Amino acid sequence: MSGIIISSLGKKLLMSLAGIFLITFLLLHMGINLLVIIFEDPMVYNKAAHFMSSNILIKIFEIILFGGLLLHVIFALILQIQNWLARPKRYNKANYSNTSFFSKFMIHTAVITLTFLVIHFLDFYIKAKFGHAAEIIVDGVAYHDLASEIMDKFKMLPFVIFYIAAFIFLGFHLIHGFQSAFKTLGLDNKKYTPVIQVLAIIYSTVVVAGYSIIPLIIYFL
Amino acid sequence: MKLKLKIWRQKDPHSRGKFVNYRLNDISADSSFLEMLDVLNEELISKGEEPVVYDHDCREGICGACGLYINGRPHGPDSLITVCQLHMRKFKNGDTIVIEPWRARAFPVIRDLMVDRDAFDKLIQEGGYVSVNTGSAPDANSIPVKKVYADLSMDAAACIGCGACVAACKNASAMLFVGAKVSHLTLLPQGKVESNERVRDMVAKMDELGFGNCTNTGACEAECPKGIKLTNIARLNREYYRATF
Amino acid sequence: MVKLQSRIPEGPLAEKWSNYKSNQNLVNPANKRKLDVIVIGTGLAGAAEAASMAEMGFKVKSFCYQDSSRRAHSIGAQGGINAAKNYQNDGDSIYRLFFDTVKGGDYRSREANVYRLAEVSNEIIDQCVAQGVPFAREYGGTLDNRSFGGALVSRTFYARGQTGQQLLLGAYQALSRQVKKGNVEMYPRMEMYNLVMVDGKARGIIARDVITGKLERFSAHAVVLASGGYGNVYFLSTMAMGANVSAIWQCYKKGALFGNPGFVQIHPTCIPVHGEYQSKLNLMSESLRNDGRIWVPKKREDAVRLQTGEIGGVDIPEEDRDYYLERRYPAFGNLVPRDVASRAAKERCDAGYGVNSTGLAVFLDFKDSINRLGKDVIEAKYGNLFQMYEKITDTNPYKVPMMIYPAIHYTMGGIWVDYELHTTIPGLFATGESNFSDHGANRLGASALMQGLADGYFVLPYTIQNYLADEINTPRFKTDIPEFETAEKEVKEQLDKLMEVKGIMSVDTLHKKLGKIMWEHVGMGRNKEGLQKAIEEIEKLKEEFWFNVNIPGEVNDLNPELQKASRMADFLELGALMAKDALHREESCGGHFREEFQTGEGEALRNDKDFTYVAAWEYKGDDKEPVLHKEPLKFEYIEVKQRDYK
């Protein structure tokens, strides 16, 4: 049991568990985001956001979430460095083996996604959390007007492009990450693996589409 | 057929090594890849130069000695074969063929295209066996084995230890090799008994030897000359968790 | 003067081995760890005995020329391993396996040895299953069998078409376990170049580190040879490229007698030769003869059209096909022993019925089996062999018949040993294919694996103790004594001499010439004139070799050409001895077919009155003729008859 952090398989296990956790979180997050465009009333979204930042259970969940993300990133880094060290001299002719395309670029798509995340934190999350956004008072409760914040942001074309691009790369990351996590957990089987592979593609497409549709609608409408 | 060869030459593990270009003019499409290299070496010897060194032995695809990284693929542009079974009809007249040794920290180059795969032996020594002394075995039919498990075990046991999985893997991981051995033994009642110790020890050794980590890309499976499946890696994972928790 | 003593134990045949074990000397556990044993080779015999002796407590030093002990050429065996388990309830028994093996060997093997082989065959299967060898199984979970040439029962256990590999991996893993435990010191990429004798006993070896080129000395209380066969003297064979005679040849030159060097097995089902640069012949497992039918056209004109490539095998109608094995041998049909099948193929091709461009091939056809059993069944049984065939020849054997031709496959001859596997040099043992073995003049399919593992697991680890029991007072000794000095110097001088030739011909070019001489005159059909010619030609080639061989590189360095040249020097001497042995044996038996001695129907004609013996040759010096010793063979339990597979 103590070997779990030391051994490569242990690290990968934790990484894949964290990955699957993040995968579920992405769906939840997407659901809340979509409130902005589904409901005309911006307060629906603002209330949901308010709930997310004030509920105690959510706060605990948030800590786990950050932990998971950190774990995913740190173990990925360690494993990746080991992987680089495992082949000190590279091949002259690149690898033409017939493998899943996106699996070769996990670290690259990860870096892009992480960069986006950092910006997202600095730009939005901290504001939402620590209140630099404008406030709206409804029924005596002060809500951050995050909905308007989003509306403003997504009227800027460069921001929209950056946002969508980041999600496309995240999608690439997920296509392989989704199914790889199951294999690392030991779940690989003639019957179910093809199903998981299809699910991975559906899930990745849904995530990319779900997040990207928001800026598109806001920008063009 | 006429060919241009670009071959990695390296005097010993410590020298730098470089690619050297060669030309061959009269190669039969029916000859094997290693016979093509034989022809090259004959030419080099007649010119007083040192022949290209590479491992090879059985030349029938089973000993696992040969292993060359040809045009970006271990064992070259065909599937389910070793280099010695690769035939020149898979190339076109005038092709340039780039030949490199396996590249991995755990497989240091000895000379030219010859590498040291001692790491694989070390892995097997760490538990890739059933602890049974000669003469102490019960009758062979005393423990029935389900055919489906015997077959799966044989699928995994077909590994020839050539190292193509490590060579193909972008992370130089040995998970398919270890997964195949763990699967082979753990699927049989005889090997099941010490399955926990085996998987723990072999994984620890694998990490220690400097192989990379599996990212489930499937390159190993695509290049394995014996078609060993990625499912063996998942089984290795399962066995490892079972042994650890 | 050497005296051949076979040391066969007293008692009835079936009790000899247990009598021997009950009465032999043993070494107690405390003494075992004081005794060192060197094992040369890590094939089935070598790996099995190194592991077994280490389990017992001996300290073993194990050597192989390959980069890993897992790559020894036992790995190439495809079809299976025989045992007298009678799991199929088809009337098999130890006696029947014994009988088939002696008969298959054309009555030129020792009864007691063969009986012991049949006796331990069952234990081998038990041992291998316990090690986790994934033999093929029935749906009920029990072991499956198939049939092989020369037997009327199904007694062959198999692991797809990779039985040799799986058995070897079992032994290799057992060996690895002992390496981990520190009981075996493993020396891969280390090739034996000389035997060291101290006071008339084998006491060590000189080995060359393949990577550094350095000569190293190793001492031990006994040396066990398990270095395999010498089929590569023919250049083209189904052997691994590195397989060589050098280890046993050095022992021969140090005084160990060489038994029946001319007995060579030619395997009937190999992929035909395709061209000048071919380096190796590929075997198609004998198991294919279970379901494949061998034929050539009945009409010469069809054969000619096949040879010019005008038509293919599928174009010839059923009535124009000559299933010559089924025609000549109705009882055994396509499953006659290898020597018989090979000769029959040669006979048809020599008569002009060959089916490929060289005229040296016959068809092995699966059409009927595919129609009868379905493609899936055939694929499940032989899929990997069919795939291999397709990769090599670029034709699909499910659609068109395979083409096959005989090729050198196994050497029944080897170092002469007594019942204890002890050579004529005290302390030197020979096992597996490297000894003259239990197969007589012809080996049955699936018996090589059986013999290698029998020697390795169950025979040598016992019999060697009978010798080592007297060595318990011999302390471990250093290698700085004159005997090692001299032995190393001999090797060094030989290697320097090779390097100094600086001729213009590569080793392979010369080796191919040797191969041609051997195949032509000491191959499937031999005659007095040809054998005499071979001896002369080999002598000339030997001179040419020592005058004209070109070895680049340095002596003290990784130098594959030097390795090959050194092996080649021994093959040249061996080739001459093989021809001499074949010349002296004026009869046909098993794989040794003298054209002068055949029945009216073209079958081998033995001369039991004059040749029922093992020919054991003693080395007398480079420029002296070897001396022949005869070990008479007595058959007390089997009636010696003309072999009949009709």
Side-chain angles (χ1 to χ4, degrees), chain C residues 4 106-110 259-260 263 416 436 440-441 581 583-587 589 607-617 628-635:
Chain C
L4 291 181
D106 222 354
Y107 308 97
R108 290 293 173 265
S109 45
R110 221 184 260 149
N260 297 335
F263 285 174
W416 184 90
F436 87 100
D581 182 53
L583 180 63
H584 108 279
R585 192 172 278 276
E586 295 191 317
E587 63 162 351
C589 59
N607 175 352
D608 290 330
K609 189 164 84 49
D610 299 320
F611 290 99
T612 310
Y613 62 77
V614 177
W617 297 86
L628 173 66
H629 299 266
K630 296 175 183 175
E631 182 206 338
L633 294 169
K634 287 192 204 78
F635 291 92

Side-chain angles (χ1 to χ4, degrees), chain B residues 62-129:
Chain B
I62 192 76
C63 76
C66 64
L68 305 173
Y69 198 83
I70 301 163
N71 285 351
R73 288 185 64 184
H75 295 304
D78 199 352
S79 53
L80 295 174
I81 53 157
T82 56
V83 180
C84 62
Q85 295 172 296
L86 175 66
H87 278 68
M88 296 311 291
R89 60 180 87 94
K90 291 284 167 191
F91 296 92
K92 290 193 297 291
N93 189 23
D95 272 1
T96 300
I97 306 176
V98 183
I99 313 174
E100 300 174 70
W102 285 174
R103 297 253 184 237
R105 183 153 67 111
F107 292 165
V109 172
I110 295 172
R111 177 172 301 176
D112 298 346
L113 305 170
M114 180 191 269
V115 299
D116 183 356
R117 284 167 292 192
D118 195 34
F120 271 6
D121 287 324
K122 293 219 168 74
L123 279 171
I124 299 296
Q125 284 159 19
E126 236 23 68
Y129 45 73

Side-chain angles (χ1 to χ4, degrees), chain C residues 293-586:
Chain C
R293 297 176 72 194
I294 294 175
W295 63 276
V296 292
K298 271 185 189 155
K299 299 186 199 145
R300 270 297 298 274
E301 57 266 31
D302 281 344
V304 173
R305 283 162 74 205
L306 285 166
Q307 287 161 11
T308 53
E310 230 174 284
I311 53 167
V314 286
D315 301 325
I316 295 177
E318 195 59 34
E319 62 272 17
D320 289 338
R321 298 179 175 192
D322 175 15
Y323 295 94
Y324 57 88
L325 286 177
E326 296 168 30
R327 170 169 58 83
R328 288 177 64 178
Y329 309 100
F332 281 69
N334 292 299
L335 282 173
V336 291
R338 290 173 175 175
D339 56 334
V340 178
S342 292
R343 262 199 305 280
K346 179 174 159 34
E347 189 274 329
R348 282 292 82 191
C349 290
D350 287 352
Y353 292 92
V355 299
N356 70 351
S357 59
T358 59
L360 295 175
V362 299
F363 287 126
L364 175 62
D365 203 332
F366 289 87
K367 190 188 69 181
D368 292 344
S369 311
I370 291 174
N371 289 342
R372 181 165 43 93
L373 305 167
K375 189 183 167 220
D376 297 349
V377 176
I378 295 298
E379 194 171 355
K381 273 188 176 171
Y382 311 112
N384 62 333
L385 297 169
F386 276 46
Q387 182 231 4
M388 182 166 113
Y389 184 85
E390 185 166 1
K391 293 286 184 195
I392 292 170
T393 63
D394 209 22
T395 57
N396 180 351
Y398 294 103
K399 296 205 175 111
V400 298
M402 283 187 183
M403 286 191 205
I404 51 158
Y405 198 67
I408 299 292
H409 179 56
Y410 185 88
T411 50
M412 282 76 71
I415 293 292
W416 184 90
V417 290
D418 61 18
Y419 188 77
E420 299 185 308
L421 306 180
H422 209 164
T423 70
T424 46
I425 295 177
L428 180 70
F429 295 78
T431 57
E433 194 178 347
S434 76
N435 69 24
F436 87 100
S437 105
D438 307 340
H439 306 296
N442 174 56
R443 179 174 67 72
L444 289 182
S447 285
L449 303 182
M450 174 173 68
Q451 185 227 341
L453 289 180
D455 287 359
Y457 283 130
F458 297 108
V459 181
L460 181 97
Y462 278 95
T463 59
I464 198 171
Q465 294 189 50
N466 211 22
Y467 171 80
L468 288 174
D470 294 332
E471 296 292 323
I472 50 174
N473 293 322
T474 312
R476 288 204 168 93
F477 50 94
K478 292 232 171 68
T479 54
D480 52 1
I481 51 178
E483 285 87 348
F484 278 89
E485 198 86 40
T486 319
E488 186 179 321
K489 211 170 125 225
E490 282 169 16
V491 178
K492 199 177 171 320
E493 281 170 3
Q494 170 92 349
L495 293 177
D496 286 341
K497 201 172 137 198
L498 280 168
M499 293 301 294
E500 275 158 22
V501 177
K502 295 198 194 311
I504 53 163
M505 291 179 95
S506 74
V507 181
D508 279 355
T509 316
L510 291 157
H511 197 161
K512 281 178 188 169
K513 285 189 182 185
L514 175 64
K516 281 214 176 85
I517 299 172
M518 295 299 292
W519 179 246
E520 208 159 302
H521 302 302
V522 201
M524 264 193 288
R526 304 160 172 190
N527 58 57
K528 187 173 179 185
E529 209 182 320
L531 289 165
Q532 281 167 338
K533 198 167 163 212
I535 295 170
E536 278 167 40
E537 283 182 6
I538 293 170
E539 191 54 39
K540 270 188 228 146
L541 186 65
K542 194 174 156 188
E543 276 169 37
E544 188 178 5
F545 173 81
W546 283 102
F547 179 71
N548 227 345
V549 70
N550 174 19
I551 307 165
E554 304 295 321
V555 70
N556 288 323
D557 192 9
L558 172 61
N559 191 339
E561 287 300 307
L562 178 59
Q563 267 177 291
K564 285 199 274 183
S566 171
R567 293 165 182 168
M568 170 73 182
D570 296 332
F571 277 137
L572 280 163
E573 297 175 9
L574 166 77
L577 184 71
M578 289 169 72
K580 281 171 196 167
D581 182 53
L583 180 63
H584 108 279
R585 192 172 278 276
E586 295 191 317

Side-chain angles (χ1 to χ4, degrees), chain A residues 87 91 95, chain B residues 74-75 102 107 120 159 161-178 211 219-221 223-225 228 233:
Chain A
R87 178 164 292 136
Y91 289 111
N95 188 327
Chain B
H75 295 304
W102 285 174
F107 292 165
F120 271 6
C159 169
C162 65
C165 46
V166 176
C169 177
K170 74 181 179 66
N171 311 326
S173 163
M175 284 284 278
L176 192 66
F177 177 79
V178 175
F211 289 104
C220 51
E221 182 187 42
E223 298 300 349
C224 175
I228 291 174
I233 291 184

